[in-house]
Amino acid sequence: MKFTDNKDIPFTIKTFFDENFELITPENTLRFQIGLFDHFLDEHEVIAFYDSNSVDENFSKNEKNYLNFIEQVFQEFPTEMFVEIEIKELSNFQIIEILNSLDYEDKNLWIEFIKKLDNANSKLIKLESKNELKMFFKIITRELTSPIFHFENGKVNLLGNYDLFFPMFFENNELADKYREIALENNLHILKITN
């Protein structure tokens, strides 16, 4: 992983939020959601989901679906991938909290990232391995902070969120269909947001 100032990425964290920090759809993008269900949940289904996901076994299984998805994306689409993280907003407490929450195999990657923060002049990190991608993705599934992942040189964006539902933005429907196929292979669903 290395910090970069890639000017080809058309969107940044601020592009996806208005002045009230409400999620918006940037111009020339299509908004979707990737999640565990093949439909949008009603109130009763949301409550049932929260109740079942409080059990660690279900969370691990669900997180594994996402990690398999993200690993397959890395392998099948060899374009450069970036993660954007607000490094200036990472407190010492949060850095340690993330370290403690990561799996053993990810801790060294996180420590390597932290060592680079002193010299970082960008919040955009070029991911060079699937292990780096998976480590940063665990940070969003575990709700430790909310980075943005940029795939296809910024034509596909996945935002951190809560409850294993993540907003995704695509430049066009063809890209959405390409990612939807991989999601389905990993028991995930990409649903279009129409409003």
Side-chain angles (χ1 to χ4, degrees):
M1 80 186 81
K2 65 180 179 181
F3 287 91
T4 181
D5 281 327
N6 188 327
K7 306 295 185 208
D8 296 333
I9 301 295
F11 302 115
T12 65
I13 288 174
K14 293 179 180 165
T15 309
F16 296 100
F17 298 96
D18 65 14
E19 61 276 356
N20 299 319
F21 209 66
E22 296 291 324
L23 187 63
I24 59 172
T25 304
E27 260 185 69
N28 302 318
T29 64
L30 304 170
R31 183 173 168 187
F32 291 78
Q33 169 188 292
I34 185 169
L36 302 166
F37 299 95
D38 63 357
H39 63 283
F40 293 107
L41 301 182
D42 66 27
E43 184 179 343
H44 299 293
E45 290 173 307
V46 170
I47 292 168
F49 172 73
Y50 287 142
D51 290 344
S52 71
N53 253 328
S54 63
V55 179
D56 287 337
E57 299 165 22
N58 286 336
F59 176 82
S60 295
K61 183 186 104 186
N62 293 336
E63 182 185 57
K64 187 170 173 63
N65 290 344
Y66 280 101
L67 295 175
N68 290 340
F69 164 77
I70 210 74
E71 184 174 349
Q72 192 172 345
V73 165
F74 186 86
Q75 291 169 340
E76 292 191 21
F77 309 131
T79 60
E80 292 182 332
M81 296 182 179
F82 300 89
V83 63
E84 183 181 350
I85 188 166
E86 292 287 357
I87 58 174
K88 292 188 187 330
E89 294 179 13
L90 284 175
S91 67
N92 290 338
F93 175 79
Q94 191 174 25
I95 289 169
I96 298 301
E97 181 183 35
I98 292 170
L99 179 66
N100 288 334
S101 299
L102 289 172
D103 298 332
Y104 178 78
E105 64 270 14
D106 300 312
K107 290 182 186 293
N108 284 338
L109 287 173
W110 182 249
I111 291 168
E112 179 185 324
F113 168 73
I114 296 309
K115 286 179 181 177
K116 294 179 180 184
L117 287 181
D118 283 341
N119 298 323
N121 55 4
S122 172
K123 57 186 173 184
L124 197 61
I125 301 125
K126 180 181 176 186
L127 301 172
E128 298 173 315
S129 74
K130 69 179 177 186
N131 291 336
E132 292 171 359
L133 177 62
K134 288 171 71 173
M135 184 268 299
F136 277 107
F137 208 81
K138 288 176 186 177
I139 290 171
I140 68 167
T141 58
R142 297 172 189 186
E143 301 176 4
L144 301 167
T145 190
S146 295
I148 295 179
F149 294 86
H150 301 284
F151 306 109
E152 310 273 344
N153 294 317
K155 296 176 184 172
V156 177
N157 307 277
L158 187 147
L159 280 62
N161 196 27
Y162 299 99
D163 307 319
L164 299 176
F165 297 100
F166 304 110
M168 287 191 81
F169 297 86
F170 296 91
E171 184 179 81
N172 56 54
N173 282 310
E174 291 77 23
L175 283 169
D177 291 341
K178 189 164 86 166
Y179 280 73
R180 185 178 287 120
E181 283 181 32
I182 293 175
L184 288 171
E185 290 175 26
N186 292 289
N187 300 313
L188 298 171
H189 303 276
I190 296 178
L191 308 174
K192 186 166 188 176
I193 308 288
T194 55
N195 53 1

